[in-house]
């Protein structure tokens, strides 16, 4: 019998067009899928994220087997399970004596480096293939980035529009004559704003088994286990995309930045979990969005905005990650060292905006972009929280979180820890921004209009404390400089009030107990 090709397929590689499967026939290959302790616990992922990945893996394995592929599937409770990718590949090499190991490159640096060691370790060649599900290659990003001080996403995005032809006119100009229609978006929520619900998928027998497993083995992880409604198959993910196009895309653009208590995801697509584990193809999704525009089912500002999130931001952060790792994981340009407060895990804070964003995070393993950026992230920035603790939190709590997408957003977009390579200025904001873009403040115990004093919104003094303590680092930034003119005009007594109020608030923060984000060694 000829020796098979062993194809490890990871939990975020659940795509039939995976490069490692391309050109193979079921007769030549053994597909290896592994539920491993190390992946489920390198941070203590939200329970729903583990359910999502294990269930989607089991469904994908069943689909492949039904097509005639030989799938060697190792479950978490297999008594011989070694707990790591490398350990499981080693056992599979013993079982199958493959002629070759063929794998698609991993999304995360950590796993990539483990894979690089397979070549010397196993008695057969190891081929690590590019992940062709992304539109930009590593080389595309390197060419874009070289020689630039600031890696402005907008220019990268235009290159992706040209590369894909999405929303491009035959004369090479962008559809509508303009690349970016955000001026028509970012509207504050109007009273009573309410979006049609995103579909939730009732757990089938496979998902129910996994829910029981996760409830038993990962009980100490953050987050509600049930109700669980994420898509776990390609068919479900496609149905979720269809529902988004039919019900939400039209108003996606205008209300992209709005936050409404009780309307957790508003007009957002809720498709990141499916995109990131491979159930949806990003380019096909963007082509479907473009078709909605061309057929008059959705306006250009919403469709362009949606496509920009995917071929712009999503591709950009992935390129940025590989271009700046491993330094990005250590970056701390603003020398922020405060421990993460306990309320990031418990939600027990009087700040209503934060409590609400943490509640949706706990219930759904999701919060939308502006909740992540301008409420939770903004707090982390202006309170000066240690970037690695913030990054661990984001990686643990969201069902769509993988380091390649989480870390550039946290270290680059939110915390300015990369010194401004990704964002041209820190997204620091006082309570006024949150009040404009949400309905959180009306019922908050704090008063957003008060700047200092016991009832003042904590974002107000923290904002000035952030500006004052980072003056040396930020003053020369032309997008920030004028803020210091306002600060200087305030006079010393007012400045002191702000600084003392911020310091009293910061003193009152209780650091998170160890053990929320990671297991003790
Ligand atoms: P929509 O608003 O409907 O957007 C459509 C798609 O665009 C998303 O599904 C996503 O694939 C893509 N997208 C949008 N914004 C971004 C972005 N900034 N970076 C990359 N892709 C983007 N997204 C993740 O997928 N995983 C993460 O771990 C993650 N961590 C984040 C951490 C922080 C601090 C911030 C500010 C953002 C983070 N994001 C992350 C980006 C964004 O918040 C989520 O992609 C989005 O909330 C997912 O919900 P949705 O599918 O409804 O998105
Ligand atoms: C996120 C995750 C989890 C929770 N568990 C597994 C697993 O047991 N097996 C697996 O193949 N993949 C898992 N994943 C996804 C991996 O963490 C992801 O493939 C790597 O981080 C590389 O991007
Ligand atoms: Fe958040 Fe301040 Fe508004 Fe309260 S008043 S909800 S703390 S922004």
């Amino acid at each position: 019998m000829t020796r098979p090709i062993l194809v490890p397929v990871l939990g975020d590689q659940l795509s039939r067009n995976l490069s490692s499967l391309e050109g193979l026939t079921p007769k030549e290959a053994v597909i290896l899928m592994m539920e491993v302790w190390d992946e489920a616990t390198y941070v203590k992922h939200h329970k729903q994220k583990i359910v999502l990945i294990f269930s989607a893996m089991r469904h994908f394995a069943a689909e492949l087997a039904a097509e005639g592929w030989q799938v060697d599937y190792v479950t978490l409770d297999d008594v011989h399970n070694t707990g790591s990718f490398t350990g499981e590949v080693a056992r599979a090499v013993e079982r199958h004596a493959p002629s070759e190991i063929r794998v698609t490159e991993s999304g995360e640096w950590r796993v990539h480096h483990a894979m690089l060691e397979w070549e010397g370790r196993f008695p057969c060649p190891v081929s690590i293939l590019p992940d062709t599900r992304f539109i930009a290659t590593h080389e595309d990003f390197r060419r874009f980035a070289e020689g630039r001080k600031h890696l402005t996403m907008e220019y990268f995005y235009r290159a992706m529009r040209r590369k894909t032809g999405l929303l491009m006119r035959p004369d090479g100009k962008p559809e509508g004559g303009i690349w970016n229609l955000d001026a028509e978006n970012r509207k504050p929520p109007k009273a009573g704003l309410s979006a049609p619900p995103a579909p939730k998928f009732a757990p089938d027998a496979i998902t129910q088994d996994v829910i029981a497993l996760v409830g038993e083995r990962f009980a100490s992880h953050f987050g509600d286990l049930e109700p669980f409604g994420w898509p776990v198959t390609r068919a479900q993910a496609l149905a979720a995309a269809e529902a988004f196009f039919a019900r939400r895309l039209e108003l996606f653009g205008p209300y992209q930045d709005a936050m409404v208590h009780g309307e957790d995801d508003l007009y957002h697509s809720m498709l990141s979990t499916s995109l990131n584990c491979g159930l949806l193809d990003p380019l096909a999704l963007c082509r479907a969005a473009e078709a909605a525009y061309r057929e008059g089912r959705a306006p250009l500002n919403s469709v362009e905005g949606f496509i920009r999130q995917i071929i712009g931001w999503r591709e950009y952060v992935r390129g940025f990650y590989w271009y700046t790792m491993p330094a990005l994981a250590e970056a701390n340009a603003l020398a922020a060292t405060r421990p993460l407060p306990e309320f990031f895990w418990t939600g027990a804070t009087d700040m209503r905006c934060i409590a609400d964003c943490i509640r949706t995070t706990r219930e759904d393993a999701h919060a939308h972009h502006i909740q992540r950026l301008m409420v939770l992230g903004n707090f982390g920035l202006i309170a000066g929280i240690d970037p690695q603790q913030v990054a661990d939190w984001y990686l643990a709590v969201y069902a769509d979180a993988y380091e390649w997408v989480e870390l550039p957003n946290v270290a680059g977009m939110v915390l300015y820890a990369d010194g401004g390579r990704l964002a041209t200025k820190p997204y620091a904001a006082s309570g006024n921004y949150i009040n404009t873009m949400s309905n959180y403040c009306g019922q908050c115990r704090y008063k957003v209009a008060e700047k200092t004093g016991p009832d003042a919104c904590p974002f107000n003094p923290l904002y000035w404390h952030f500006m004052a303590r980072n003056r040396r680092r930020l003053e020369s930034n032309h997008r920030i400089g004028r803020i210091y003119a306002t600060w200087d005009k305030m006079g010393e007594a007012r400045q002191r009030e702000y600084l003392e109020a911020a310091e009293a608030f910061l003193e009152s923060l209780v650091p998170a107990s160890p053990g929320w984000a990671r297991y003790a060694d």
Side-chain angles (χ1 to χ4, degrees), residues 42-43 345 387-397 406 517-518:
Y42 67 92
V43 288
W345 298 105
Q388 289 174 21
Q389 293 191 30
V390 180
D392 269 8
W393 184 82
Y394 277 95
L395 195 53
V397 302
E406 165 272 322
R518 290 179 188 262

Side-chain angles (χ1 to χ4, degrees), residues 349-355 374-375 379 430-435 438-450 455-460:
T349 166
D350 287 340
M351 290 179 281
R352 191 165 182 257
C353 53
I354 295 217
M374 296 308 295
V375 176
F379 184 89
S430 67
N432 189 36
Y433 174 88
I434 297 173
N435 190 34
S438 78
N439 66 355
Y440 290 139
C441 301
Q443 289 180 44
C444 182
R445 110 114 182 87
Y446 294 109
K447 300 204 172 23
V448 72
E450 290 189 19
D455 293 333
C457 164
F459 283 85
N460 294 336

Side-chain angles (χ1 to χ4, degrees), residues 268-272 276 309 366 369 372 400-401 405-406 409:
H268 291 271
S269 70
M270 304 298 276
L271 296 175
S272 53
N276 293 353
Q309 301 311 311
H366 187 271
H369 186 63
R372 294 188 207 194
D400 58 21
V405 52
E406 165 272 322
N409 273 297

